[in-house]
Amino acid sequence: MKRMEPSPPPVCPPCPTDITCKAMVAFGVNDLRECEVIVAPPRAGEVRVKIVCNALCHTDIYTLGGSDPEGLFPAILGHEATAIVESVGDGVRSVKVGDTIVPGYTPQCKEPDCIFCMSPKTNLCPRIRGTQGKGVMPDGTSRFTLKSDRSTIFHFMGCSTFSEYTVLAEISCAKINPSIPHEHACLFGCGIATGLGAVWNTAKVEPFSSVAVFGLGAVGLAVVQAAKAIGAHPIIGIDVNEKKFAIAKQLGCTDCVNPKDHDKPMQQVLIGMSPTGFGYDYTFDATGNTDVMRSALEAAHRGWGLMTIIGVAAAGKEISTRPFQFVTGRRCTGTAFGGWKTRDAIPMLVERTLKGEIKVEHFITHKFKGVAETTKALEALHSGDCLRAVVEY
Ligand code: NAD
Ligand code: DAO
Ligand code: ZN
């Protein structure tokens, strides 16, 4: 009689260990260097990912340049990426090894006791806000060490995507359909999703509304694209860089205006151009300049116009206007990540892109290869010709 072979013991997945990889470390203001870093395994509720594509955003430049009041050094910057899950910590259920994700700097904990996640009015989940702002993981420690001297490196915006590997909170990981090109998916990690959401979620622009968009970088152009998609008309684009006007018109601007061509304040010029002569139903700031924010508010329509602040102003800057602007019905709001709830919305935006409902390829004006080329991408971003520079790792 044939003897039964004993069945083999169950195989434990290998315990994740430290990974040594390349990263761009910001040691101080405008001091960015390629280094070898050690990325520790994910702890409970955390996910370690391999970054495959990273798009640079002006917020990275802003922090690297020392304008961010929360900026900490040394840190690994970057927050607009596509990544593949490499390993997961205890208790992680929503993603598994091999999944494609987009990191979110605004997490979504989805817990029933989170009044923000449970509210349809906001995406500002505060679950890990305290530690994220301090440059550490939710347990108060960093997963990054500099290989050369074993010193600790801070995380950035809960993402730190200028590194071949990074560790994220599970609640910051938006799992997406892997069939989207990686270079397109990363755009939904920040700027493009923000511009679209500013129009569709925050301002809730209606068909036939008049719109004025200040700043025609990637964020402002995404505002234009979203406004056109909803049927707004007219859509006026305002930028000091006329090189942006051609693409702005392709995406939906009916007119473009350069403030340098006018002696009068922009709000006066724009109100004069508006269909009713009383301003625009919806205005957006996508510059981060507080004087522009004032113009955008004052160009909003008498009686009901809504100005949405998207731009991030430099540390210490304040906005001013006469209160009479509000008394006469103008309103002001702002948006973080376009109001999208990260883990629900990014997969949906990816699906809409795969169906051809949202086009994003025109935002990629520059491409680079390897984490060290982040410096070239930063130069491109400074050039004024660049919407998004994508670095493939
Ligand atoms: P960008 O630098 O590519 O675009 C800004 C545009 O504004 C440029 O085309 C520039 O020429 C124009 N501009 C500058 N000064 C101007 C002026 N005085 N008048 C008219 N135009 C002017 O930046 P971006 O990536 O498009 O981002 C835009 C802003 O949005 C930044 O401040 C960024 O930090 C912010 N942002 C905010 C969020 C959010 O969640 N709120 C998300 C992403 C980006
Ligand atoms: O939850 O209090 C908070 C802070 C949320 C931070 C939102 C940041 C929005 C601007 C980010 C700029 C672009 C990356
Ligand atoms: Zn929450």
Side-chain angles (χ1 to χ4, degrees):
M1 202 171 94
K2 200 175 166 203
R3 282 183 45 194
M4 294 286 286
E5 291 294 324
S7 53
V11 179
C12 255
C15 284
T17 51
D18 286 349
I19 289 177
T20 301
C21 69
K22 293 195 181 85
M24 298 304 291
V25 180
F27 287 95
V29 173
N30 293 324
D31 180 8
L32 189 69
R33 287 177 251 155
E34 187 195 10
C35 300
E36 283 207 291
V37 298
I38 299 164
V39 185
R43 295 190 185 170
E46 298 177 358
V47 179
R48 188 164 60 184
V49 298
K50 180 175 191 338
I51 303 292
V52 287
C53 264
N54 186 71
L56 273 84
C57 169
H58 278 86
T59 312
D60 298 314
I61 289 191
Y62 163 86
T63 305
L64 184 61
S67 299
D68 179 355
E70 281 196 357
L72 293 165
F73 298 110
I76 297 177
L77 306 179
H79 62 282
E80 203 172 299
T82 311
I84 311 289
V85 175
E86 177 273 335
S87 57
V88 299
D90 285 349
V92 170
R93 300 276 175 270
S94 62
V95 295
K96 61 181 187 315
V97 173
D99 281 347
T100 305
I101 65 112
V102 171
Y105 58 86
T106 302
Q108 184 187 359
C109 76
K110 302 191 184 191
E111 294 296 333
D113 67 347
C114 177
I115 58 169
F116 295 87
C117 281
M118 291 302 114
S119 168
K121 293 182 180 175
T122 186
N123 60 340
L124 289 174
C125 172
R127 184 71 55 178
I128 56 173
R129 167 73 183 132
T131 47
Q132 184 167 310
K134 292 190 178 88
V136 288
M137 294 303 291
D139 74 350
T141 62
S142 171
R143 301 292 158 269
F144 294 121
T145 312
L146 196 62
K147 188 182 170 204
S148 58
D149 65 2
R150 308 281 155 163
S151 58
T152 302
I153 305 166
F154 288 115
H155 294 248
F156 173 67
M157 292 179 77
C159 295
S160 291
T161 56
F162 288 0
S163 175
E164 290 172 330
Y165 288 84
T166 189
V167 179
L168 309 166
E170 177 185 15
I171 62 170
S172 307
C173 294
K175 179 177 165 176
I176 60 161
N177 186 329
S179 51
I180 187 167
H182 291 152
E183 64 183 31
H184 292 174
C186 62
L187 303 176
F188 290 116
C190 184
I192 310 311
T194 298
L196 300 175
V199 175
W200 296 336
N201 303 327
T202 309
K204 299 187 172 65
V205 173
E206 305 103 346
F208 309 111
S209 310
S210 54
V211 168
V213 184
F214 291 75
L216 300 171
V219 174
L221 290 171
V223 169
V224 170
Q225 194 172 332
K228 164 91 176 170
I230 213 78
H233 188 91
I235 304 170
I236 314 296
I238 302 102
D239 204 298
V240 287
N241 178 356
E242 290 193 12
K243 286 192 244 171
K244 304 291 174 75
F245 291 176
I247 184 157
K249 286 186 175 166
Q250 278 169 34
L251 292 174
C253 275
T254 49
D255 276 298
C256 289
V257 183
N258 185 346
K260 291 181 183 166
D261 292 341
H262 298 271
D263 296 329
K264 287 192 285 188
M266 249 308 97
Q267 51 273 47
Q268 277 182 34
V269 174
L270 292 168
I271 289 171
M273 293 168 63
S274 65
T276 61
F278 286 99
Y280 295 81
D281 299 321
Y282 296 97
T283 65
F284 296 86
D285 169 70
T287 69
N289 178 316
T290 51
D291 296 327
V292 173
M293 292 175 193
R294 178 177 192 154
S295 294
L297 172 71
E298 296 183 2
H301 205 285
R302 174 185 165 86
W304 60 74
L306 177 66
M307 188 273 266
T308 301
I309 297 177
I310 310 172
V312 177
K317 289 285 183 181
E318 295 184 350
I319 46 176
S320 63
T321 191
R322 289 168 52 234
F324 198 66
Q325 297 290 337
F326 299 105
V327 169
T328 48
R330 291 167 196 85
R331 297 168 300 143
C332 176
T333 188
T335 193
F337 191 51
W340 296 113
K341 289 182 187 282
T342 298
R343 292 201 286 161
D344 293 340
I346 296 178
M348 178 274 294
L349 291 168
V350 164
E351 292 303 330
R352 289 188 62 186
T353 305
L354 286 167
K355 283 187 202 152
E357 294 170 10
I358 299 174
K359 303 259 184 253
V360 294
E361 53 274 17
H362 48 272
F363 289 111
I364 303 173
T365 51
H366 296 71
K367 289 189 198 183
F368 299 96
K369 186 119 180 92
V371 73
E373 295 215 337
T374 300
T375 47
K376 289 189 186 166
L378 285 166
E379 283 163 23
L381 217 55
H382 279 299
S383 71
D385 287 330
C386 177
L387 296 177
R388 278 296 182 264
V390 175
V391 185
E392 192 189 327
Y393 290 0

